[in-house]
Amino acid sequence: MDQFIVKPLFGDGPVYWYTPTNVTLWLMLAVLAVGALMVLGTRRRAIVPTRSQSVAEVLYGFIHNMVEEVAGHEGVKYFPYVLTLFLFILCANVLGLIPGSFTTTSHVAVTVVLAMGVFLGVTLIGLARKGVGFLSMFWVSSAPLALRPVLAVIEVISYFVRPVSHSIRLAGNLMAGHAVLKVFAGFAAAVLVSPVAIAAMVGIYALELLVAFVQAYVFTILTCVYLKDAVGDAHH
């Protein structure tokens, strides 16, 4: 598990909140990767797109359609934030697959910040748009009257648990995958089982690449689902 240890970039001293670490380095590289793809890759805006422009346009259209279909027309105004979130998580996940790199999204400290940003943003948007009416999402009016208070408590608990499940799902999947990859890498040093271990590593690496995309997609689509609560009609 030493691949998940947070280390200072300079020296071996303690890590404070202001200390540049391997986490801050790879977070910055993820931001630069997003900027390179969406700014540098599309700066020419050619009629016949380049490869980078094609990738940027596909991702742009994919997330735009997701936001419009899941969160509705009112949710499209928050599309830039959702797209940025998706691209950042995707780039951080993929960069973490480079040998010798650091997977920032395997740390709950990083994913909790992302999830809390979504949670607080959705809550504030819902209160700003609907006022007290936003709380009606916790009251299931279609249920029998005797069950409504119980269901309301369950709805409130599930609402406040969202940041936990939202963040742990992303961090847990990436941490588990990288840990398994490291285990098989250890077996690759043994002569007798090295061919099997190396073949398994190739397969797991391909699976981890798929997981990098899937987890970015899952985090983003859940963001759209939560956003729908704030901009759409309350469920009954």
Side-chain angles (χ1 to χ4, degrees):
M1 302 296 285
D2 56 343
Q3 61 176 311
F4 304 111
I5 298 175
V6 179
K7 302 175 182 178
L9 288 179
F10 311 104
D12 297 320
V15 175
Y16 301 103
W17 66 269
Y18 54 82
T19 304
T21 64
N22 49 357
V23 177
T24 53
L25 172 63
W26 287 95
L27 285 175
M28 183 59 65
L29 290 176
V31 173
L32 292 176
V34 173
L37 176 63
M38 301 305 292
V39 178
L40 299 180
T42 61
R43 67 186 186 280
R44 296 181 180 179
R45 298 180 183 175
I47 297 177
V48 180
T50 60
R51 292 179 181 178
S52 59
Q53 183 179 336
S54 297
V55 172
E57 289 177 354
V58 168
L59 293 176
Y60 184 98
F62 175 68
I63 300 301
H64 188 278
N65 291 338
M66 180 196 299
V67 174
E68 191 169 25
E69 291 176 4
V70 178
H73 181 70
E74 290 297 320
V76 173
K77 65 178 65 176
Y78 306 104
F79 160 71
Y81 174 74
V82 178
L83 176 63
T84 303
L85 197 62
F86 172 79
L87 290 174
F88 174 76
I89 295 174
L90 177 61
C91 288
N93 291 352
V94 173
L95 286 173
L97 292 173
I98 299 175
S101 66
F102 187 87
T103 311
T104 55
T105 42
S106 67
H107 274 243
V108 176
V110 174
T111 58
V112 161
V113 172
L114 298 175
M116 285 302 298
V118 173
F119 176 77
L120 294 176
V122 166
T123 303
L124 293 175
I125 291 170
L127 292 174
R129 289 177 61 89
K130 301 179 181 180
V132 181
F134 180 63
L135 301 179
S136 63
M137 65 177 291
F138 302 119
W139 189 256
V140 186
S141 58
S142 60
L145 184 59
L147 292 178
R148 292 177 193 176
V150 177
L151 293 176
V153 173
I154 295 174
E155 289 285 338
V156 170
I157 293 174
S158 64
Y159 184 82
F160 283 96
V161 169
R162 282 180 177 182
V164 178
S165 60
H166 207 185
S167 58
I168 291 179
R169 180 184 292 105
L170 174 59
N173 277 279
L174 293 174
M175 178 179 285
H178 282 65
V180 171
L181 194 61
K182 185 67 177 289
V183 169
F184 278 96
F187 283 117
V191 177
L192 295 177
V193 296
S194 60
V196 177
I198 292 173
M201 286 176 60
V202 172
I204 294 171
Y205 192 90
L207 180 61
E208 281 298 287
L209 188 60
L210 176 63
V211 169
F213 283 87
V214 170
Q215 288 304 314
Y217 169 78
V218 170
F219 195 98
T220 307
I221 199 169
L222 285 175
T223 299
C224 294
V225 171
Y226 299 157
L227 185 60
K228 182 181 180 181
D229 293 335
V231 300
D233 297 328
H235 67 270
H236 299 287

